[in-house]
Amino acid sequence: MRLRALLDTDALGLRLLGGEDELDRTVRGVMTTDLRDPSRYLSGGELVLTGLAWRRDADDSEPFVRILAQTGVAALAAGEAELGDIPEDLLVACARHRLPLFAVHESVAFATITEHIVRQVSGERAGDLAAVVDRHRRMMTSGPAGGGPDVVLDLLGSDLDLRAWVLSPTGRLIAGSKDAGPALPADTCAKLSAEHLAAARTGRRGPHRVTLGPTTYSLFPIRSSGRSPQASRDVRETVLSDWLLAVEADAGDWPAERLDLLQGVTQLISVERDRRDAARTVRRRLAQEVLELVQTGAAPAEIAARLRVAAPVLLPGLGAAPHWQVVVARVEWAGGDIEAGPVTQSLLEEILVDPLATGPEPSDRIAVAHTGDEAIALVPLPAVSSEHDGSETGILAEALLEAVRDPLSAGLDDDGQVTLGVSAAVHSAEGLRGALEEARHARRVAAARPGRVCAAGHQELASHVLLLPFVPDDVRRAFTARLLDPLRDYDRRHRAELIPTLEAFLDCDGSWTRCATRLHLHVNTLRYRVGRIEQLTSRDLSRLEDKLDFFLALRMS
């Protein structure tokens, strides 16, 4: 039962003195005490009744309330029979620790309140407890081995009238019960995953309650089976790979038995998650073998032979050998020694799934390996009939992140970054090494951009301007100063506008006529200015190398 329900029962004689925002707390028991430290008798969720005999002076209230708050009690109810009005120091201490405080009228016995709460809580527990054992038995026998998470979710719907869904950390719908009605909209899935990841980063224990419009959801983390919440030293090691169970209900007023039942459901689904990961082992191993051959400079014939073995596994039933793209991803955290390789591998597998795909096994054409903190995917593409029609085929870097940027940003908070790089499609084993380096370089370009979730594709590597972020700052400053400072000094002294003239001349591809027209100058005046630029810098603007140096210096300045 909730604290709010106690105020609705006039016979209890309770008056709220503070903590109106906390009235949705659940009461799971009741305890009467006048001990100065009752913590050893408290387990959390109790309404504590006290006659204030423990209070000798105003300094006693703060430590007493602090102990209650630390043990997780639901609220404190103080009797008025001993002191009359409730002391101000007790009100202040309860407000400081966000502990709801009630006054009990002197005409009401604590036994009356205790009997009422015990009767209400016991009745709720009996209703759930009668069916818990049977439900657990049926879930264990009809769980993952009997049809995956959908079976478990169907039982939640039929037995407890709960609509529930399993979501990936990127917001993809993995499973839902048959009675859950229409599938959750993609934007709702993304918002729920984002809320779950944000809550997980705070370290708060689940379930996390989220309200979207008129609907309240309770979000339960689904961790790998056998891993306790404390098994990971840092939540960042797993936050981007754990699934979640979204239940359309407010779990804040559930009894402990129902919460335990839902925790059991998450454990069953985690078994399905582990089974899915085991099924990916072959594809991961193939990717690792091909990657090692490519990185060690193996002969193209040897790599091609390995690809022929991989093709039937990744593209069953496909007659022709596919083309391939390489995708490189990295998860990086600020500070700390966080092992990111396995999580990046799992996350990249998820990102490469079609966002409209549902179910736990739509990624059977993806092979992802990881080395260090970097994950590398070999993505096969069906052979195209024409390679010269000018259309873009295969994976586009930015499209990969469009549907997952918001959830991942919530999980990364302000100290993490996910970056991806995508190569062009290659048509033979000889091209894989170049594709790998191209994808890695594209990822480095993405890492140089602002934002928590960034990607870059091979199309963006055509311009040398993208190389500029990788030039060290001191080198950039020295380079631009050596070329441009003589011109800036001359402009300050003579107002000669040599820098604007240089920019216009390069922008006009060295055309004297077009540049003079743009600057509204006579061609001879323009020639004089360009000559002065060459004299001051000892460069020749008729040479391509010098033009390029000036162009880069202007872009870096």
Side-chain angles (χ1 to χ4, degrees):
M1 65 179 302
R2 294 192 183 188
L3 288 174
R4 192 182 304 280
L6 297 175
L7 290 174
D8 297 334
T9 307
D10 294 336
L12 299 181
L14 294 175
R15 180 164 50 92
L16 182 65
L17 300 181
E20 184 175 357
D21 294 340
E22 305 293 332
L23 290 179
D24 285 331
R25 292 187 181 187
T26 300
V27 180
R28 297 193 174 95
V30 62
M31 178 190 177
T32 300
T33 184
D34 277 312
L35 295 173
R36 297 169 68 85
D37 181 3
S39 58
R40 62 184 179 276
Y41 302 111
L42 297 170
S43 59
E46 297 92 349
L47 173 68
V48 174
L49 303 172
T50 181
L52 300 178
W54 49 266
R55 182 183 179 277
R56 298 187 182 92
D57 55 46
D59 292 337
D60 291 338
S61 292
E62 167 63 25
F64 180 78
V65 172
R66 183 174 64 250
I67 289 170
L68 297 186
Q70 289 174 345
T71 55
V73 303
L76 173 65
E80 296 177 323
E82 182 74 19
L83 300 178
D85 292 335
I86 305 302
E88 180 68 22
D89 49 271
L90 184 60
L91 273 70
V92 171
C94 287
R96 181 180 297 116
H97 292 281
R98 301 182 63 85
L99 183 68
L101 176 63
F102 296 92
V104 183
H105 194 272
E106 61 182 355
S107 64
V108 178
F110 284 175
T112 301
I113 300 174
T114 300
E115 182 182 352
H116 175 81
I117 292 176
V118 169
R119 185 168 59 249
Q120 293 294 321
V121 172
S122 298
E124 290 182 359
R125 287 179 175 173
D128 269 346
L129 195 56
V132 164
V133 174
D134 181 60
R135 286 170 184 149
H136 268 296
R137 177 186 57 78
R138 284 193 289 150
M139 286 181 181
M140 290 302 295
T141 57
S142 303
D150 304 86
V151 173
V152 180
L153 300 184
D154 287 343
L155 282 173
L156 283 180
S158 61
D159 284 19
L160 297 182
D161 195 26
L162 292 175
R163 289 157 43 90
W165 302 265
V166 177
L167 305 177
S168 78
T170 61
R172 182 172 63 87
L173 180 62
I174 293 172
S177 60
K178 289 183 295 187
D179 297 330
L184 282 179
D187 61 336
T188 300
C189 293
K191 289 176 182 177
L192 290 176
S193 289
E195 292 285 351
H196 169 72
L197 291 174
R201 285 303 310 274
T202 67
R204 290 190 286 120
R205 295 180 61 186
H208 309 121
R209 288 179 288 166
V210 177
T211 299
L212 299 180
T215 307
T216 297
Y217 299 88
S218 295
L219 310 178
F220 296 79
I222 299 173
R223 300 181 175 90
S224 295
S225 62
R227 178 170 64 82
S228 66
Q230 292 78 29
S232 177
R233 295 172 300 170
D234 193 313
V235 68
R236 293 175 295 180
E237 292 180 3
T238 58
V239 67
L240 298 181
S241 60
D242 285 341
W243 288 357
L244 69 138
L245 175 67
V247 181
E248 188 180 282
D250 187 345
D253 57 356
W254 284 2
E257 285 75 14
R258 179 168 288 203
L259 288 171
D260 288 344
L261 178 61
L262 266 293
Q263 295 296 345
V265 168
T266 65
Q267 292 169 10
L268 289 171
I269 297 173
S270 73
V271 175
E272 169 62 25
R273 169 69 185 270
D274 291 344
R275 187 198 65 78
R276 191 285 310 263
D277 285 342
R280 287 181 170 178
T281 300
V282 173
R283 297 192 294 277
R284 288 174 172 176
R285 187 172 64 247
L286 285 172
Q288 196 72 45
E289 291 174 353
V290 173
L291 176 63
E292 289 175 359
L293 290 174
V294 171
Q295 293 191 124
T296 56
E302 186 177 358
I303 299 174
R306 184 63 62 186
L307 289 176
R308 283 195 294 272
V309 173
V313 176
L314 300 178
L315 288 176
L318 186 69
H323 303 319
W324 302 88
Q325 274 184 287
V326 176
V327 181
V328 173
R330 192 181 183 95
V331 176
E332 295 178 283
W333 300 101
D337 184 15
I338 309 298
E339 183 183 6
V343 170
T344 308
Q345 181 182 42
S346 177
L347 181 61
L348 182 55
E349 288 171 336
E350 186 61 45
I351 289 174
L352 289 171
V353 175
D354 183 342
L356 298 180
T358 59
E361 290 290 351
S363 53
D364 58 355
R365 295 183 178 182
I366 299 167
V368 182
H370 80 83
T371 173
D373 290 339
E374 186 180 68
I376 302 169
L378 285 174
V379 183
L381 304 173
V384 292
S385 57
S386 174
E387 301 174 7
H388 307 288
D389 59 1
S391 62
E392 186 64 44
T393 60
I395 294 173
L396 299 179
E398 191 59 30
L400 281 177
L401 299 181
E402 185 175 350
V404 303
R405 180 171 277 109
D406 289 345
L408 292 183
S409 296
L412 293 164
D413 197 14
D414 60 354
D415 61 345
Q417 186 183 39
V418 171
T419 52
L420 283 85
V422 182
S423 78
V426 295
H427 317 303
S428 65
E430 289 88 341
L432 276 180
R433 185 176 181 83
L436 175 59
E437 292 306 315
E438 187 175 56
R440 281 175 165 162
H441 185 65
R443 192 207 62 78
R444 289 192 290 269
V445 169
R449 294 173 173 168
R452 292 294 168 195
V453 183
C454 300
H458 63 93
Q459 309 94 329
E460 302 175 68
L461 302 183
S463 173
H464 57 273
V465 177
L466 287 174
L467 299 174
L468 299 183
F470 305 105
V471 179
D473 289 342
D474 54 346
V475 174
R476 296 168 67 174
R477 285 191 294 267
F479 180 74
T480 57
R482 185 169 61 254
L483 276 179
L484 302 182
D485 279 1
L487 306 182
R488 290 169 178 152
D489 292 342
Y490 192 88
D491 281 348
R492 278 194 297 270
R493 293 197 308 269
H494 303 285
R495 297 182 181 180
E497 297 188 352
L498 296 185
I499 291 290
T501 300
L502 176 61
E503 291 175 332
F505 186 73
L506 295 175
D507 196 41
C508 292
D509 299 324
S511 169
W512 297 99
T513 304
R514 282 194 290 129
C515 184
T517 301
R518 174 179 294 188
L519 296 176
H520 306 289
L521 298 174
H522 192 278
V523 171
N524 289 340
T525 303
L526 175 62
R527 291 184 183 278
Y528 172 80
R529 288 187 181 180
V530 170
R532 178 64 65 185
I533 291 171
E534 293 175 334
Q535 181 185 16
L536 291 170
T537 61
S538 300
R539 297 294 184 112
D540 183 356
L541 277 169
S542 65
R543 298 179 68 248
L544 176 61
E545 294 87 346
D546 289 339
K547 286 180 182 177
L548 181 58
D549 282 349
F550 277 122
F551 176 77
L552 292 175
L554 289 168
R555 293 301 294 263
M556 288 191 291
S557 63

